[in-house]
């Protein structure tokens, strides 16, 4: 019995050492690029936690080799500098090949002197990327059909708003099909790094963070903890804070008279939190639409709270813009520009931007502009404003 236990322990130790050794193995990136020699030089550029990590070697008889390790899959490039060109005054032509790097033995081979024409072998990630490209190509080809259709139209047709609208609607259908195809791939391939990349590419402005989180949590934990995986998690978390249906983050700032105004002061009413600035031309163009909405629905319980991203030096311009545009609702700001505390809380990266908060304090819509705002308010207050 004791001997059996010793054997089991030895087997366990051997397995653990084997796994540890496998985990410690790094990558080898080799290349054969024609017959290049000095001063030709190869560079390996790796995305290392969001920062470029560069390694370089001289090319001898067309050969180069890099060794190292990466804690998780990442995107990388091999670039060739053919000549020094120090005094020519002409920038050398970029010659590079992108690929996905993991701890594998990867080879770049081309009979020419250009790495861009190299065939990559040994990179399972790059091979999988090619499979995904092939899987998605039929969907993207539909865009080409639309583009060719548009180019074939006479000039008058190209200016036809109704025709353009139909093209936009058809393009939207294709975009939705692509997102659905990518999500299908993610769900069917939870152990593939390409699933992290595919999910990340679906996180367009206004994406459903709650739905995306469910898909993300189905991906292999190690992949979720990769650099890109962590970035996806951060983006989902930040968007989720202002997702439709979640409670609007509380904030308070001073109005034009120096009085503190809190978002919670508006409980019991619908309030549009409008982020803008005096210097923002699109914001100023949107103000007449806000005035119209306020005039029509204010008596029914609709409010607007303006939050300015002006700077301390622009205070007078902010006040003048309020007067010139005839904005009669509350205006607040901490006058910190893009560092405005409320804007950062709501992840505002472009203006105009707004969030519609319901009487209970939950976000029910965002980025409502033009007719979209009117339609939303009509659905909430009915067809008979005032």
């Amino acid at each position: 019995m004791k001997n059996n236990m010793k054997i089991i322990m030895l087997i366990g130790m051997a397995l653990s050492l084997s796994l540890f050794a496998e985990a410690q193995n790094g990558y080898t990136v080799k290349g054969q690029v024609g017959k290049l020699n000095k001063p030709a030089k190869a560079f390996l550029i790796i995305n290392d936690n969001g920062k470029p990590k560069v390694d370089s070697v001289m090319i001898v008889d067309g050969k180069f080799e890099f060794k190292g390790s990466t804690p998780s899959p990442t995107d990388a490039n091999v670039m060739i500098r053919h000549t020094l060109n120090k005094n020519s005054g002409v920038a050398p032509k970029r010659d590079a090949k992108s690929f996905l790097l993991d701890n594998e033995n990867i080879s770049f081979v081309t009979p020419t002197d250009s790495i861009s024409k190299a065939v990559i072998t040994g990179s399972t990630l790059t091979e999988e990327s090619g499979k995904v490209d092939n899987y998605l190509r039929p969907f993207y080809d539909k865009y080409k059909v639309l583009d060719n259709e548009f180019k074939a139209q006479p000039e008058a047709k190209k200016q036809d708003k109704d025709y353009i609208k139909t093209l936009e609607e058809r393009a939207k259908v294709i975009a939705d099909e692509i997102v659905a195809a990518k999500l299908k791939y993610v769900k069917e391939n939870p152990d593939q790094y390409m699933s992290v990349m595919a999910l990340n590419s679906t996180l367009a402005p206004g994406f459903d963070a709650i739905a995306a989180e469910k898909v993300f949590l189905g991906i292999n934990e190690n992949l979720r903890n990769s650099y890109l995986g962590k970035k996806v998690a951060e983006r989902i978390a930040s968007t989720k804070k202002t997702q439709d249906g979640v409670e609007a983050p509380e904030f308070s700032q001073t109005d034009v008279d120096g009085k503190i105004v809190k978002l919670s002061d508006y409980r019991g009413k619908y309030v549009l939190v409008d982020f803008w600035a005096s210097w923002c031309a699109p914001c100023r163009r949107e103000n007449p639409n806000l005035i119209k909405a306020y005039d029509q629905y204010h008596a029914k319980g609709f409010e607007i709270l303006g939050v300015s991203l002006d700077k301390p030096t622009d205070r007078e311009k902010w006040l003048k813009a309020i007067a010139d545009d005839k904005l009669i609702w509350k205006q607040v700001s901490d006058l910190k520009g893009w560092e405005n505390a409320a804007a950062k809380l709501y992840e505002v990266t472009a203006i105009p931007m707004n969030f519609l908060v319901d009487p209970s304090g939950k976000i029910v819509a965002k980025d409502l502009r033009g007719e979209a705002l009117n339609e939303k308010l009509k659905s909430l207050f009915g067809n008979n404003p005032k």
Side-chain angles (χ1 to χ4, degrees):
M1 184 68 180
K2 287 182 179 180
N3 289 335
N4 288 343
M5 287 297 295
K6 286 182 179 179
I7 292 171
I8 292 170
M9 288 176 67
L10 287 170
I11 292 173
M13 288 176 65
L15 285 172
S16 64
L17 287 171
S18 174
L19 291 170
F20 179 78
E22 184 176 340
Q24 292 300 300
N25 284 342
Y27 59 76
T28 299
V29 178
K30 293 182 178 181
Q32 176 71 57
V33 189
K35 300 297 182 181
L36 284 178
N37 268 296
K38 296 179 180 179
K41 198 170 187 178
F43 297 83
L44 177 62
I45 307 165
I46 301 172
N47 179 355
D48 183 21
N49 290 324
K51 297 179 181 179
K53 178 182 175 182
V54 182
D55 194 2
S56 64
V57 294
M58 300 302 297
I59 299 177
V60 180
D61 294 330
K63 294 182 174 63
F64 64 82
E65 181 175 321
F66 297 97
K67 286 182 178 291
S69 63
T70 179
S72 63
T74 188
D75 50 293
N77 284 273
V78 170
M79 186 174 72
I80 303 298
R81 188 193 67 194
H82 291 255
T83 58
L84 294 178
N85 282 337
K86 283 186 176 180
N87 302 313
S88 69
V90 178
K93 183 179 179 181
R94 179 177 171 81
D95 183 19
K97 185 84 170 181
S98 61
F99 68 109
L100 293 171
L101 177 69
D102 204 352
N103 293 315
E104 302 176 300
N105 296 321
I106 302 171
S107 296
F108 289 71
V109 178
T110 174
T112 73
D113 287 346
S114 175
I115 194 70
S116 65
K117 296 178 173 60
V119 173
I120 303 173
T121 58
S123 172
T124 55
L125 292 176
T126 303
E127 290 174 11
E128 184 66 18
S129 176
K131 292 177 183 178
V132 176
D133 286 344
N134 291 334
Y135 165 61
L136 294 174
R137 186 168 291 113
F139 298 98
Y140 283 103
D141 283 346
K142 293 182 181 182
Y143 279 132
K144 293 181 181 179
V145 173
L146 277 188
D147 186 50
N148 291 334
E149 177 190 317
F150 175 76
K151 289 176 179 177
Q153 302 303 317
E155 199 58 37
K157 185 76 169 179
K158 292 179 180 178
Q159 304 301 322
D160 186 330
K161 292 182 179 179
D162 290 335
Y163 173 63
I164 297 299
K165 184 178 180 181
T166 63
L167 282 181
E168 291 174 345
E169 290 172 346
R170 288 156 66 191
K172 177 64 167 59
V173 170
I174 296 171
D176 290 344
E177 289 178 351
I178 291 173
V179 169
K182 288 179 178 179
L183 293 178
K184 181 175 183 289
Y185 172 84
V186 175
K187 292 173 183 177
E188 293 178 352
N189 298 274
D191 296 323
Q192 289 287 351
Y193 179 69
M194 283 303 301
S195 287
V196 183
M197 298 185 72
L199 179 59
N200 182 55
S201 69
T202 68
L203 306 184
F207 75 92
D208 187 337
I210 295 174
E213 184 176 51
K214 291 179 181 178
V215 176
F216 179 69
L217 292 176
I219 295 175
N220 179 294
E221 184 178 2
N222 289 334
L223 297 177
R224 297 203 308 269
N225 288 324
S226 66
Y227 170 75
L228 181 58
K230 289 177 181 177
K231 286 297 178 184
V232 170
E234 289 173 8
R235 190 156 178 214
I236 290 173
S238 65
T239 301
K240 191 177 174 182
K241 290 193 302 183
T242 56
Q243 179 83 44
D244 291 3
V246 304
E247 187 167 341
E250 171 71 312
F251 68 89
S252 62
Q253 293 193 7
T254 54
D255 66 11
V256 296
D257 298 317
K259 296 179 181 178
I260 295 292
V261 177
K262 297 184 295 184
L263 176 61
S264 56
D265 294 340
Y266 291 85
R267 283 294 174 92
K269 296 182 178 181
Y270 281 95
V271 56
L272 187 75
V273 182
D274 178 48
F275 292 92
W276 73 295
S278 65
W279 44 263
C280 171
C283 303
R284 304 290 294 276
R285 288 196 295 269
E286 183 64 17
N287 280 338
N289 185 58
L290 296 182
I291 291 171
K292 179 181 177 182
Y294 187 82
D295 181 56
Q296 289 182 328
Y297 295 100
H298 177 61
K300 286 197 167 188
F302 174 61
E303 296 282 356
I304 301 177
L305 175 59
V307 183
S308 170
L309 272 62
D310 281 287
K311 299 177 181 178
T313 53
D314 294 330
R315 176 178 169 78
E316 293 307 316
K317 293 179 182 178
W318 172 43
L319 298 178
K320 185 175 186 299
I322 294 171
D324 289 349
D325 292 1
K326 299 179 174 57
L327 309 181
I328 61 174
W329 50 85
K330 280 285 185 182
Q331 296 288 340
V332 300
S333 182
D334 58 12
L335 294 174
K336 293 182 179 179
W338 285 106
E339 295 302 309
N340 181 288
K344 290 177 75 67
L345 186 64
Y346 280 73
E347 304 284 340
V348 174
T349 57
I351 52 176
M353 184 64 188
N354 58 48
F355 299 84
L356 183 62
V357 181
D358 74 5
S360 70
K362 291 183 178 179
I363 296 172
V364 292
K366 59 185 175 183
D367 201 19
L368 295 171
R369 284 185 259 174
E371 189 57 28
L373 175 60
N374 182 59
E375 288 298 319
K376 183 63 178 180
L377 294 177
K378 188 187 295 184
S379 71
L380 295 172
F381 296 109
N383 292 322
N384 298 310
K386 293 188 177 180

